[in-house]
Amino acid sequence: MLRRRNSGELKKTLAAMDKAEGSMGGAGGNESKDAKQKDRLLLKTAKGTRDYGPGEMFCREHIERIVKDVFTSYGASCLDTPVFERKDVLTDKYGEDQKLIFDLMDQGGEQLALRYDHTVPLARYLAMSGATVQGKIWQVGKVYRRDNPVMSKGRMREFMQADLDIVGSWDPMIPDAEMISLLCTILSKLDVGEFTVKINNRKILDGIFEVCGVPPKKIRMISSAVDKLDKAPWEDVKKEMTDEKGLSSEVADKIGEYVKLKGGPALLAQLKGDETLMSNASAKDGILEMELLFTLLGAYKIHDKISFDMSLARGLDYYTGIIYEATVAASAPPSFAANATTSTTSAPPPTPAPKKKAKKPKTEDADEDEEVDESQVGVGSIAAGGRYDNLVGSFHICCSGRGKERRSVIGLDRIFALVWPKWVERGMRSKDTMAFVIAVGDGLLEERIRLVQELREAGIKTDFLAKKKPKYQAQFAAAERDEVPFDILLGGEELKEGLVIVKSRSGNLSTGRRSGDEVKREELIDWLKQTPTYLNWSSGRLI
């Protein structure tokens, strides 16, 4: 019995040893597997995001400076709000686009989400302030939407928006005209090409829906369908109204008679002569507002940039009055010939992506499988805005008497998608360095540093090669690489005579030809500041 018991214990011990060895081998295998997985790690940005190199960032900062300069020239003040908000602050503000909000789930006991735009955070800020705010407020920063990205057209999940809002109570249409003027001023200063600002009034659109027989509970969803007329033919929009949203074909046809119209003051006169439409209180109010707006736009001298477009609806639920958006030739899908005056078009829909997006699963893997033919997608609107009366009051009952706010938003990434190819083609700069101090002969390190500091203190952006005794060609190559227009040469003989040699770019970047001038050291700063290069430096062009 003792022998059998010892034999049984031995077998158990051996089995335990085998199991331990197996687990050790398994751990080693797991470590090896993890190591291989790390070796195979694919370095890429998240879907709908991208990096911007130094040259691209210089262009983007140039665009941003122009936008901010116009904001401040219109008397606006700056605000900054958190990039994420409590989720309940963002919900029920964006209509059908609500599903595009990035949910951060539970973060330390709070349900949070990334901001979808700057307007709702501004409204939350105003509601929290408890004071009556009158004036213009601007914000520039990143916003986030879980949309199907089209990277080459600047349509991404993380993107920069520049917003200006006029808050408070003002006389009718004056702030609206001011906002449209601001939009035209910014786009005229940016190299986006010819643009059109389409305008409409939610009151007119709601009145049209009412007189055509749209049930009140379906007005917002039908409005969202109408807003797609700049991307799809009427037949597709009508099909969405009838097949997907349950509207009768007769009602849809009545709507089509209105929303395919566009024009200017003549269209406004046509609507004023429509007795059926003018009998609707909402439509009448909107038409009278538009009449006043056109008068004010004439004072701003921007009539030639405006199109009264009855199909413009804007998808966000918080708009209540005037709405507008700016478009360029590249805004529409290439395969779609927009023509609002005819009832049909033979052009096919630009892409079926929106239908796929509505049905896609919430899993990340499935999301990654979706593909969009970017050649068939337009840039979309590059700027937009409108009036929203009740957004601030929606956060707290004590704020229900707050004023009527107006909003203009500039899509900086979409503008960058238009400007960057032209920027490269025209040889624009990728850096702001204006002068490069170069030693000829001995290193002259201390002399170089002193001159660099003098120039920097005078407001001239200057650099040098951080070497004790750099070779002349290495310094010259560094200046060429940074596209610096002025090489300032220091030599032993010139220093004794109180001179420097300034070589300025006399050709373009590809030729690299430079001419030299002897300049007295004490006159160098004034000499540089009188050059056309310095005087026109803000343009961004290589001069």
Side-chain angles (χ1 to χ4, degrees), residues 286-432:
I287 290 169
L288 294 178
E289 286 184 348
M290 291 292 284
E291 187 174 35
L292 176 56
L293 178 64
F294 269 106
T295 300
L296 297 175
L297 295 179
Y300 282 104
K301 300 180 181 179
I302 53 175
H303 263 158
D304 59 322
K305 300 294 185 182
I306 306 301
S307 172
F308 183 9
D309 192 326
M310 300 290 287
S311 70
L312 180 64
R314 302 296 299 158
L316 301 179
D317 275 3
Y318 51 65
Y319 287 128
T320 57
I322 295 293
I323 49 177
Y324 41 87
E325 69 179 27
T327 60
V328 293
S331 292
S335 63
F336 178 69
N339 186 352
T341 60
T342 60
S343 60
T344 62
T345 176
S346 58
T351 174
K355 294 181 181 178
K356 287 184 180 180
K357 181 174 64 177
K359 297 179 181 179
K360 71 185 179 184
K362 295 183 179 180
T363 61
E364 189 64 27
D365 291 342
D367 183 53
E368 290 292 338
D369 291 338
E370 288 196 12
E371 297 292 338
V372 174
D373 183 358
E374 297 196 4
S375 67
Q376 296 303 307
V377 180
V379 172
S381 62
I382 57 175
R387 170 174 160 177
Y388 54 99
D389 289 352
N390 306 313
L391 187 57
V392 176
S394 69
F395 287 116
H396 200 283
I397 191 168
C398 71
C399 302
S400 59
R402 299 297 286 260
K404 300 170 174 59
E405 283 71 40
R406 282 83 174 174
R407 169 195 192 227
S408 276
V409 54
I410 315 294
L412 298 182
D413 288 282
R414 295 188 183 187
I415 289 176
F416 172 77
L418 297 171
V419 172
W420 175 245
K422 300 176 185 178
W423 187 279
V424 174
E425 180 183 347
R426 296 174 185 177
M428 307 297 273
R429 300 194 313 273
S430 61
K431 206 169 184 179
D432 228 6

Side-chain angles (χ1 to χ4, degrees), residues 116-131:
Y116 181 93
D117 61 13
H118 293 302
T119 303
V120 173
L122 168 64
R124 188 262 310 147
Y125 165 81
L126 294 173
M128 287 178 62
S129 70

Side-chain angles (χ1 to χ4, degrees), residues 1 71 99 101 170 210 239 244 249 255 271 290 331 334 339 345 352 373 405-406 411 468 476 482 501 511 521 533:
M1 291 293 294
F71 282 173
K99 61 182 178 293
I101 294 175
W170 307 92
E210 289 172 8
K239 185 177 180 181
E244 297 180 23
S249 180
I255 293 172
L271 295 178
M290 291 292 284
S331 292
N339 186 352
T345 176
D373 183 358
E405 283 71 40
R406 282 83 174 174
K468 186 175 182 180
F476 183 78
D482 287 349
I501 304 296
T511 64
R521 171 69 178 269
T533 300

Side-chain angles (χ1 to χ4, degrees), residues 177-249:
E178 179 84 339
M179 291 296 250
I180 296 171
S181 167
L182 174 132
L183 213 59
C184 291
T185 301
I186 289 174
L187 297 180
S188 296
K189 288 178 177 288
L190 295 169
D191 194 12
V192 299
E194 290 296 318
F195 65 89
T196 299
V197 179
K198 300 191 293 184
I199 63 174
N200 200 2
N201 195 313
R202 273 278 180 90
K203 295 178 181 179
I204 299 177
L205 207 55
D206 289 352
I208 288 172
F209 295 149
E210 289 172 8
V211 300
C212 289
V214 177
K217 65 180 181 180
K218 291 188 176 182
I219 284 181
R220 285 283 74 85
M221 65 174 69
I222 297 302
S223 177
S224 176
V226 168
D227 199 45
K228 297 173 184 175
L229 275 172
D230 63 338
K231 300 181 285 292
W234 167 247
E235 285 80 1
D236 287 2
V237 173
K238 179 183 176 181
K239 185 177 180 181
E240 179 180 337
M241 290 180 181
T242 56
D243 294 0
E244 297 180 23
K245 298 181 177 177
L247 203 64
S248 71
S249 180

